[in-house]
PDB file of all heavy atoms in Angstrom:
ATOM      1  N   LEU A   1       2.471  13.561  62.764  1.00 98.00           N
ATOM      2  CA  LEU A   1       1.636  14.782  62.885  1.00 98.00           C
ATOM      3  C   LEU A   1       2.102  15.613  64.070  1.00 98.00           C
ATOM      4  O   LEU A   1       2.309  15.114  65.160  1.00 98.00           O
ATOM      5  CB  LEU A   1       0.146  14.431  63.026  1.00 98.00           C
ATOM      6  CG  LEU A   1      -0.782  15.621  63.225  1.00 98.00           C
ATOM      7  CD1 LEU A   1      -0.779  16.487  61.994  1.00 98.00           C
ATOM      8  CD2 LEU A   1      -2.187  15.141  63.516  1.00 98.00           C
ATOM      9  N   CYS A   2       2.356  16.897  63.790  1.00 98.00           N
ATOM     10  CA  CYS A   2       2.738  17.838  64.835  1.00 98.00           C
ATOM     11  C   CYS A   2       1.912  19.095  64.655  1.00 98.00           C
ATOM     12  O   CYS A   2       1.802  19.659  63.575  1.00 98.00           O
ATOM     13  CB  CYS A   2       4.239  18.204  64.696  1.00 98.00           C
ATOM     14  SG  CYS A   2       4.905  19.087  66.067  1.00 98.00           S
ATOM     15  N   ARG A   3       1.223  19.482  65.731  1.00 97.00           N
ATOM     16  CA  ARG A   3       0.271  20.610  65.655  1.00 97.00           C
ATOM     17  C   ARG A   3       0.774  21.768  66.482  1.00 97.00           C
ATOM     18  O   ARG A   3       1.310  21.590  67.519  1.00 97.00           O
ATOM     19  CB  ARG A   3      -1.097  20.135  66.233  1.00 97.00           C
ATOM     20  CG  ARG A   3      -1.657  18.989  65.440  1.00 97.00           C
ATOM     21  CD  ARG A   3      -2.760  18.187  66.130  1.00 97.00           C
ATOM     22  NE  ARG A   3      -3.864  19.036  66.567  1.00 97.00           N
ATOM     23  CZ  ARG A   3      -4.245  19.163  67.878  1.00 97.00           C
ATOM     24  NH1 ARG A   3      -3.636  18.519  68.827  1.00 97.00           N
ATOM     25  NH2 ARG A   3      -5.284  19.946  68.170  1.00 97.00           N
ATOM     26  N   PHE A   4       0.574  23.000  65.945  1.00 97.00           N
ATOM     27  CA  PHE A   4       1.005  24.228  66.606  1.00 97.00           C
ATOM     28  C   PHE A   4      -0.195  25.172  66.704  1.00 97.00           C
ATOM     29  O   PHE A   4      -0.827  25.505  65.690  1.00 97.00           O
ATOM     30  CB  PHE A   4       2.093  24.914  65.786  1.00 97.00           C
ATOM     31  CG  PHE A   4       3.379  24.119  65.733  1.00 97.00           C
ATOM     32  CD1 PHE A   4       3.593  23.183  64.748  1.00 97.00           C
ATOM     33  CD2 PHE A   4       4.422  24.333  66.669  1.00 97.00           C
ATOM     34  CE1 PHE A   4       4.760  22.426  64.667  1.00 97.00           C
ATOM     35  CE2 PHE A   4       5.567  23.608  66.599  1.00 97.00           C
ATOM     36  CZ  PHE A   4       5.757  22.673  65.597  1.00 97.00           C
ATOM     37  N   LEU A   5      -0.500  25.647  67.932  1.00 95.00           N
ATOM     38  CA  LEU A   5      -1.589  26.587  68.158  1.00 95.00           C
ATOM     39  C   LEU A   5      -1.112  27.987  67.825  1.00 95.00           C
ATOM     40  O   LEU A   5      -0.133  28.483  68.405  1.00 95.00           O
ATOM     41  CB  LEU A   5      -2.032  26.544  69.611  1.00 95.00           C
ATOM     42  CG  LEU A   5      -3.161  27.485  70.003  1.00 95.00           C
ATOM     43  CD1 LEU A   5      -4.482  27.116  69.256  1.00 95.00           C
ATOM     44  CD2 LEU A   5      -3.395  27.433  71.525  1.00 95.00           C
ATOM     45  N   LEU A   6      -1.706  28.623  66.824  1.00 92.00           N
ATOM     46  CA  LEU A   6      -1.340  29.972  66.415  1.00 92.00           C
ATOM     47  C   LEU A   6      -1.839  31.026  67.373  1.00 92.00           C
ATOM     48  O   LEU A   6      -2.964  30.886  67.876  1.00 92.00           O
ATOM     49  CB  LEU A   6      -1.839  30.250  65.008  1.00 92.00           C
ATOM     50  CG  LEU A   6      -1.290  29.330  63.917  1.00 92.00           C
ATOM     51  CD1 LEU A   6      -1.974  29.646  62.557  1.00 92.00           C
ATOM     52  CD2 LEU A   6       0.193  29.498  63.797  1.00 92.00           C
ATOM     53  N   PRO A   7      -1.042  32.048  67.664  1.00 90.00           N
ATOM     54  CA  PRO A   7      -1.441  33.064  68.605  1.00 90.00           C
ATOM     55  C   PRO A   7      -2.300  34.223  68.043  1.00 90.00           C
ATOM     56  O   PRO A   7      -2.701  35.097  68.739  1.00 90.00           O
ATOM     57  CB  PRO A   7      -0.082  33.616  69.119  1.00 90.00           C
ATOM     58  CG  PRO A   7       0.764  33.478  67.919  1.00 90.00           C
ATOM     59  CD  PRO A   7       0.340  32.229  67.228  1.00 90.00           C
ATOM     60  N   PHE A   8      -2.555  34.140  66.750  1.00 79.00           N
ATOM     61  CA  PHE A   8      -3.267  35.235  66.081  1.00 79.00           C
ATOM     62  C   PHE A   8      -4.774  35.212  66.496  1.00 79.00           C
ATOM     63  O   PHE A   8      -5.366  34.152  66.519  1.00 79.00           O
ATOM     64  CB  PHE A   8      -3.212  35.145  64.580  1.00 79.00           C
ATOM     65  CG  PHE A   8      -1.768  34.880  64.058  1.00 79.00           C
ATOM     66  CD1 PHE A   8      -1.580  33.910  63.133  1.00 79.00           C
ATOM     67  CD2 PHE A   8      -0.724  35.611  64.511  1.00 79.00           C
ATOM     68  CE1 PHE A   8      -0.316  33.629  62.639  1.00 79.00           C
ATOM     69  CE2 PHE A   8       0.555  35.346  64.029  1.00 79.00           C
ATOM     70  CZ  PHE A   8       0.766  34.357  63.086  1.00 79.00           C
ATOM     71  N   GLU A   9      -5.317  36.373  66.743  1.00 69.00           N
ATOM     72  CA  GLU A   9      -6.750  36.459  67.056  1.00 69.00           C
ATOM     73  C   GLU A   9      -7.600  36.219  65.818  1.00 69.00           C
ATOM     74  O   GLU A   9      -8.690  35.714  65.890  1.00 69.00           O
ATOM     75  CB  GLU A   9      -7.052  37.785  67.741  1.00 69.00           C
ATOM     76  CG  GLU A   9      -6.450  37.881  69.109  1.00 69.00           C
ATOM     77  CD  GLU A   9      -6.869  39.168  69.837  1.00 69.00           C
ATOM     78  OE1 GLU A   9      -7.900  39.752  69.449  1.00 69.00           O
ATOM     79  OE2 GLU A   9      -6.193  39.525  70.790  1.00 69.00           O
ATOM     80  N   ASP A  10      -7.114  36.672  64.648  1.00 62.00           N
ATOM     81  CA  ASP A  10      -7.863  36.536  63.451  1.00 62.00           C
ATOM     82  C   ASP A  10      -7.577  35.150  62.860  1.00 62.00           C
ATOM     83  O   ASP A  10      -6.503  34.606  62.938  1.00 62.00           O
ATOM     84  CB  ASP A  10      -7.479  37.596  62.424  1.00 62.00           C
ATOM     85  CG  ASP A  10      -7.733  38.976  62.899  1.00 62.00           C
ATOM     86  OD1 ASP A  10      -8.711  39.154  63.697  1.00 62.00           O
ATOM     87  OD2 ASP A  10      -6.969  39.891  62.542  1.00 62.00           O
ATOM     88  N   ARG A  11      -8.605  34.594  62.174  1.00 62.00           N
ATOM     89  CA  ARG A  11      -8.421  33.317  61.480  1.00 62.00           C
ATOM     90  C   ARG A  11      -7.539  33.550  60.234  1.00 62.00           C
ATOM     91  O   ARG A  11      -7.811  34.484  59.487  1.00 62.00           O
ATOM     92  CB  ARG A  11      -9.756  32.703  61.112  1.00 62.00           C
ATOM     93  CG  ARG A  11     -10.581  32.308  62.287  1.00 62.00           C
ATOM     94  CD  ARG A  11     -11.984  31.787  61.827  1.00 62.00           C
ATOM     95  NE  ARG A  11     -11.880  30.731  60.854  1.00 62.00           N
ATOM     96  CZ  ARG A  11     -11.707  29.423  61.115  1.00 62.00           C
ATOM     97  NH1 ARG A  11     -11.701  29.055  62.389  1.00 62.00           N
ATOM     98  NH2 ARG A  11     -11.696  28.517  60.206  1.00 62.00           N
ATOM     99  N   VAL A  12      -6.516  32.749  60.092  1.00 63.00           N
ATOM    100  CA  VAL A  12      -5.624  32.952  58.925  1.00 63.00           C
ATOM    101  C   VAL A  12      -6.239  32.451  57.621  1.00 63.00           C
ATOM    102  O   VAL A  12      -5.717  32.696  56.549  1.00 63.00           O
ATOM    103  CB  VAL A  12      -4.254  32.298  59.141  1.00 63.00           C
ATOM    104  CG1 VAL A  12      -3.560  32.916  60.300  1.00 63.00           C
ATOM    105  CG2 VAL A  12      -4.373  30.807  59.319  1.00 63.00           C
ATOM    106  N   THR A  13      -7.377  31.749  57.667  1.00 60.00           N
ATOM    107  CA  THR A  13      -8.041  31.303  56.445  1.00 60.00           C
ATOM    108  C   THR A  13      -9.132  32.165  55.998  1.00 60.00           C
ATOM    109  O   THR A  13      -9.900  31.862  55.118  1.00 60.00           O
ATOM    110  CB  THR A  13      -8.562  29.877  56.621  1.00 60.00           C
ATOM    111  OG1 THR A  13      -9.435  29.841  57.741  1.00 60.00           O
ATOM    112  CG2 THR A  13      -7.406  28.873  56.858  1.00 60.00           C
ATOM    113  N   GLU A  14      -9.321  33.326  56.661  1.00 61.00           N
ATOM    114  CA  GLU A  14     -10.337  34.288  56.227  1.00 61.00           C
ATOM    115  C   GLU A  14      -9.697  35.629  55.996  1.00 61.00           C
ATOM    116  O   GLU A  14      -8.801  36.009  56.764  1.00 61.00           O
ATOM    117  CB  GLU A  14     -11.420  34.435  57.313  1.00 61.00           C
ATOM    118  CG  GLU A  14     -12.199  33.130  57.488  1.00 61.00           C
ATOM    119  CD  GLU A  14     -13.190  33.248  58.650  1.00 61.00           C
ATOM    120  OE1 GLU A  14     -13.266  34.333  59.261  1.00 61.00           O
ATOM    121  OE2 GLU A  14     -13.863  32.283  58.879  1.00 61.00           O
ATOM    122  N   PRO A  15     -10.053  36.418  55.047  1.00 59.00           N
ATOM    123  CA  PRO A  15     -11.008  36.182  54.010  1.00 59.00           C
ATOM    124  C   PRO A  15     -10.461  35.235  52.922  1.00 59.00           C
ATOM    125  O   PRO A  15      -9.303  34.842  52.991  1.00 59.00           O
ATOM    126  CB  PRO A  15     -11.265  37.588  53.429  1.00 59.00           C
ATOM    127  CG  PRO A  15     -10.007  38.338  53.671  1.00 59.00           C
ATOM    128  CD  PRO A  15      -9.451  37.722  54.958  1.00 59.00           C
ATOM    129  N   PRO A  16     -11.288  34.950  51.916  1.00 61.00           N
ATOM    130  CA  PRO A  16     -10.810  34.051  50.854  1.00 61.00           C
ATOM    131  C   PRO A  16      -9.468  34.488  50.247  1.00 61.00           C
ATOM    132  O   PRO A  16      -9.221  35.677  50.044  1.00 61.00           O
ATOM    133  CB  PRO A  16     -11.921  34.145  49.820  1.00 61.00           C
ATOM    134  CG  PRO A  16     -13.135  34.513  50.596  1.00 61.00           C
ATOM    135  CD  PRO A  16     -12.643  35.432  51.669  1.00 61.00           C
ATOM    136  N   GLY A  17      -8.589  33.531  50.014  1.00 56.00           N
ATOM    137  CA  GLY A  17      -7.300  33.817  49.503  1.00 56.00           C
ATOM    138  C   GLY A  17      -6.202  33.948  50.551  1.00 56.00           C
ATOM    139  O   GLY A  17      -5.034  33.871  50.264  1.00 56.00           O
ATOM    140  N   PHE A  18      -6.592  34.097  51.819  1.00 56.00           N
ATOM    141  CA  PHE A  18      -5.662  34.283  52.892  1.00 56.00           C
ATOM    142  C   PHE A  18      -4.867  33.034  53.199  1.00 56.00           C
ATOM    143  O   PHE A  18      -3.659  33.053  53.368  1.00 56.00           O
ATOM    144  CB  PHE A  18      -6.384  34.743  54.141  1.00 56.00           C
ATOM    145  CG  PHE A  18      -5.584  35.528  55.123  1.00 56.00           C
ATOM    146  CD1 PHE A  18      -4.691  36.492  54.687  1.00 56.00           C
ATOM    147  CD2 PHE A  18      -5.697  35.284  56.470  1.00 56.00           C
ATOM    148  CE1 PHE A  18      -3.931  37.222  55.620  1.00 56.00           C
ATOM    149  CE2 PHE A  18      -4.953  36.014  57.372  1.00 56.00           C
ATOM    150  CZ  PHE A  18      -4.080  36.951  56.966  1.00 56.00           C
ATOM    151  N   GLU A  19      -5.525  31.875  53.153  1.00 51.00           N
ATOM    152  CA  GLU A  19      -4.845  30.614  53.442  1.00 51.00           C
ATOM    153  C   GLU A  19      -3.724  30.332  52.446  1.00 51.00           C
ATOM    154  O   GLU A  19      -2.706  29.754  52.804  1.00 51.00           O
ATOM    155  CB  GLU A  19      -5.858  29.468  53.436  1.00 51.00           C
ATOM    156  CG  GLU A  19      -5.281  28.131  53.776  1.00 51.00           C
ATOM    157  CD  GLU A  19      -6.333  27.083  53.889  1.00 51.00           C
ATOM    158  OE1 GLU A  19      -7.533  27.380  53.923  1.00 51.00           O
ATOM    159  OE2 GLU A  19      -5.927  25.878  53.872  1.00 51.00           O
ATOM    160  N   ASP A  20      -3.903  30.738  51.217  1.00 61.00           N
ATOM    161  CA  ASP A  20      -2.889  30.486  50.189  1.00 61.00           C
ATOM    162  C   ASP A  20      -1.616  31.264  50.454  1.00 61.00           C
ATOM    163  O   ASP A  20      -0.590  31.024  49.790  1.00 61.00           O
ATOM    164  CB  ASP A  20      -3.454  30.862  48.814  1.00 61.00           C
ATOM    165  CG  ASP A  20      -4.584  30.001  48.359  1.00 61.00           C
ATOM    166  OD1 ASP A  20      -4.716  28.869  48.891  1.00 61.00           O
ATOM    167  OD2 ASP A  20      -5.349  30.439  47.518  1.00 61.00           O
ATOM    168  N   GLN A  21      -1.663  32.209  51.380  1.00 76.00           N
ATOM    169  CA  GLN A  21      -0.506  33.040  51.635  1.00 76.00           C
ATOM    170  C   GLN A  21      -0.008  32.806  53.082  1.00 76.00           C
ATOM    171  O   GLN A  21       0.365  33.689  53.776  1.00 76.00           O
ATOM    172  CB  GLN A  21      -0.851  34.482  51.408  1.00 76.00           C
ATOM    173  CG  GLN A  21      -1.205  34.729  49.959  1.00 76.00           C
ATOM    174  CD  GLN A  21      -1.813  36.064  49.793  1.00 76.00           C
ATOM    175  OE1 GLN A  21      -1.428  37.043  50.400  1.00 76.00           O
ATOM    176  NE2 GLN A  21      -2.735  36.176  48.865  1.00 76.00           N
ATOM    177  N   PHE A  22       0.039  31.554  53.483  1.00 82.00           N
ATOM    178  CA  PHE A  22       0.522  31.161  54.804  1.00 82.00           C
ATOM    179  C   PHE A  22       1.863  30.448  54.584  1.00 82.00           C
ATOM    180  O   PHE A  22       1.981  29.523  53.799  1.00 82.00           O
ATOM    181  CB  PHE A  22      -0.456  30.216  55.490  1.00 82.00           C
ATOM    182  CG  PHE A  22      -0.086  29.909  56.893  1.00 82.00           C
ATOM    183  CD1 PHE A  22      -0.374  30.801  57.946  1.00 82.00           C
ATOM    184  CD2 PHE A  22       0.594  28.718  57.219  1.00 82.00           C
ATOM    185  CE1 PHE A  22       0.019  30.528  59.211  1.00 82.00           C
ATOM    186  CE2 PHE A  22       0.982  28.453  58.506  1.00 82.00           C
ATOM    187  CZ  PHE A  22       0.682  29.360  59.511  1.00 82.00           C
ATOM    188  N   TYR A  23       2.886  30.923  55.311  1.00 90.00           N
ATOM    189  CA  TYR A  23       4.248  30.383  55.105  1.00 90.00           C
ATOM    190  C   TYR A  23       4.774  29.803  56.387  1.00 90.00           C
ATOM    191  O   TYR A  23       4.546  30.343  57.490  1.00 90.00           O
ATOM    192  CB  TYR A  23       5.189  31.517  54.625  1.00 90.00           C
ATOM    193  CG  TYR A  23       4.731  32.169  53.353  1.00 90.00           C
ATOM    194  CD1 TYR A  23       3.940  33.319  53.361  1.00 90.00           C
ATOM    195  CD2 TYR A  23       5.072  31.619  52.114  1.00 90.00           C
ATOM    196  CE1 TYR A  23       3.503  33.901  52.220  1.00 90.00           C
ATOM    197  CE2 TYR A  23       4.633  32.248  50.934  1.00 90.00           C
ATOM    198  CZ  TYR A  23       3.865  33.392  51.041  1.00 90.00           C
ATOM    199  OH  TYR A  23       3.440  33.988  49.851  1.00 90.00           O
ATOM    200  N   VAL A  24       5.538  28.723  56.262  1.00 94.00           N
ATOM    201  CA  VAL A  24       6.192  28.096  57.394  1.00 94.00           C
ATOM    202  C   VAL A  24       7.662  27.947  57.052  1.00 94.00           C
ATOM    203  O   VAL A  24       7.993  27.415  56.023  1.00 94.00           O
ATOM    204  CB  VAL A  24       5.611  26.687  57.722  1.00 94.00           C
ATOM    205  CG1 VAL A  24       6.339  26.068  58.858  1.00 94.00           C
ATOM    206  CG2 VAL A  24       4.118  26.767  57.989  1.00 94.00           C
ATOM    207  N   THR A  25       8.535  28.463  57.946  1.00 96.00           N
ATOM    208  CA  THR A  25       9.974  28.263  57.795  1.00 96.00           C
ATOM    209  C   THR A  25      10.341  27.359  58.953  1.00 96.00           C
ATOM    210  O   THR A  25      10.151  27.705  60.127  1.00 96.00           O
ATOM    211  CB  THR A  25      10.721  29.603  57.880  1.00 96.00           C
ATOM    212  OG1 THR A  25      10.233  30.463  56.886  1.00 96.00           O
ATOM    213  CG2 THR A  25      12.230  29.400  57.684  1.00 96.00           C
ATOM    214  N   PHE A  26      10.917  26.185  58.654  1.00 97.00           N
ATOM    215  CA  PHE A  26      11.180  25.193  59.650  1.00 97.00           C
ATOM    216  C   PHE A  26      12.663  24.840  59.617  1.00 97.00           C
ATOM    217  O   PHE A  26      13.277  24.598  58.578  1.00 97.00           O
ATOM    218  CB  PHE A  26      10.363  23.921  59.323  1.00 97.00           C
ATOM    219  CG  PHE A  26      10.457  22.841  60.385  1.00 97.00           C
ATOM    220  CD1 PHE A  26       9.526  22.758  61.354  1.00 97.00           C
ATOM    221  CD2 PHE A  26      11.492  21.930  60.376  1.00 97.00           C
ATOM    222  CE1 PHE A  26       9.568  21.785  62.330  1.00 97.00           C
ATOM    223  CE2 PHE A  26      11.583  20.988  61.354  1.00 97.00           C
ATOM    224  CZ  PHE A  26      10.632  20.873  62.340  1.00 97.00           C
ATOM    225  N   LYS A  27      13.273  24.805  60.829  1.00 97.00           N
ATOM    226  CA  LYS A  27      14.689  24.455  60.937  1.00 97.00           C
ATOM    227  C   LYS A  27      14.809  23.421  62.060  1.00 97.00           C
ATOM    228  O   LYS A  27      14.380  23.643  63.176  1.00 97.00           O
ATOM    229  CB  LYS A  27      15.530  25.689  61.269  1.00 97.00           C
ATOM    230  CG  LYS A  27      17.021  25.366  61.450  1.00 97.00           C
ATOM    231  CD  LYS A  27      17.812  26.602  61.784  1.00 97.00           C
ATOM    232  CE  LYS A  27      19.257  26.238  61.931  1.00 97.00           C
ATOM    233  NZ  LYS A  27      20.056  27.427  62.293  1.00 97.00           N
ATOM    234  N   SER A  28      15.481  22.319  61.737  1.00 97.00           N
ATOM    235  CA  SER A  28      15.820  21.299  62.720  1.00 97.00           C
ATOM    236  C   SER A  28      17.237  21.616  63.210  1.00 97.00           C
ATOM    237  O   SER A  28      18.209  21.449  62.452  1.00 97.00           O
ATOM    238  CB  SER A  28      15.786  19.884  62.154  1.00 97.00           C
ATOM    239  OG  SER A  28      16.157  18.966  63.132  1.00 97.00           O
ATOM    240  N   VAL A  29      17.385  22.129  64.384  1.00 97.00           N
ATOM    241  CA  VAL A  29      18.643  22.609  64.884  1.00 97.00           C
ATOM    242  C   VAL A  29      19.648  21.446  65.035  1.00 97.00           C
ATOM    243  O   VAL A  29      20.826  21.603  64.759  1.00 97.00           O
ATOM    244  CB  VAL A  29      18.470  23.382  66.225  1.00 97.00           C
ATOM    245  CG1 VAL A  29      19.793  23.812  66.820  1.00 97.00           C
ATOM    246  CG2 VAL A  29      17.571  24.579  66.044  1.00 97.00           C
ATOM    247  N   ASP A  30      19.195  20.317  65.539  1.00 97.00           N
ATOM    248  CA  ASP A  30      20.048  19.145  65.765  1.00 97.00           C
ATOM    249  C   ASP A  30      19.982  18.077  64.707  1.00 97.00           C
ATOM    250  O   ASP A  30      20.544  16.995  64.883  1.00 97.00           O
ATOM    251  CB  ASP A  30      19.783  18.566  67.132  1.00 97.00           C
ATOM    252  CG  ASP A  30      18.326  18.176  67.302  1.00 97.00           C
ATOM    253  OD1 ASP A  30      17.555  18.169  66.328  1.00 97.00           O
ATOM    254  OD2 ASP A  30      17.922  17.877  68.443  1.00 97.00           O
ATOM    255  N   SER A  31      19.280  18.316  63.606  1.00 96.00           N
ATOM    256  CA  SER A  31      19.103  17.395  62.475  1.00 96.00           C
ATOM    257  C   SER A  31      18.333  16.121  62.878  1.00 96.00           C
ATOM    258  O   SER A  31      18.415  15.142  62.145  1.00 96.00           O
ATOM    259  CB  SER A  31      20.450  17.034  61.851  1.00 96.00           C
ATOM    260  OG  SER A  31      21.075  18.174  61.380  1.00 96.00           O
ATOM    261  N   ASN A  32      17.573  16.154  63.958  1.00 98.00           N
ATOM    262  CA  ASN A  32      16.776  14.996  64.312  1.00 98.00           C
ATOM    263  C   ASN A  32      15.468  14.922  63.590  1.00 98.00           C
ATOM    264  O   ASN A  32      14.751  13.922  63.657  1.00 98.00           O
ATOM    265  CB  ASN A  32      16.514  15.007  65.848  1.00 98.00           C
ATOM    266  CG  ASN A  32      17.753  14.571  66.629  1.00 98.00           C
ATOM    267  OD1 ASN A  32      18.695  14.059  66.060  1.00 98.00           O
ATOM    268  ND2 ASN A  32      17.707  14.855  67.922  1.00 98.00           N
TER     269      ASN A  32
END
């Protein structure tokens, strides 16, 4: 488990339907 604190003032899960449109692009630079 790895947790990241989002800097947005608004909750990304509001209004309804907003959570379904959350994207994460993840890159391991050193392949670890």
Side-chain angles (χ1 to χ4, degrees):
L1 178 62
C2 192
R3 300 162 55 239
F4 294 87
L5 180 64
L6 296 175
F8 313 132
E9 291 186 19
D10 300 328
R11 294 177 54 86
V12 296
T13 57
E14 294 176 359
F18 204 43
E19 182 176 346
D20 294 337
Q21 297 170 35
F22 187 82
Y23 302 93
V24 178
T25 304
F26 187 94
K27 178 180 181 181
S28 177
V29 176
D30 56 11
S31 300
N32 285 345

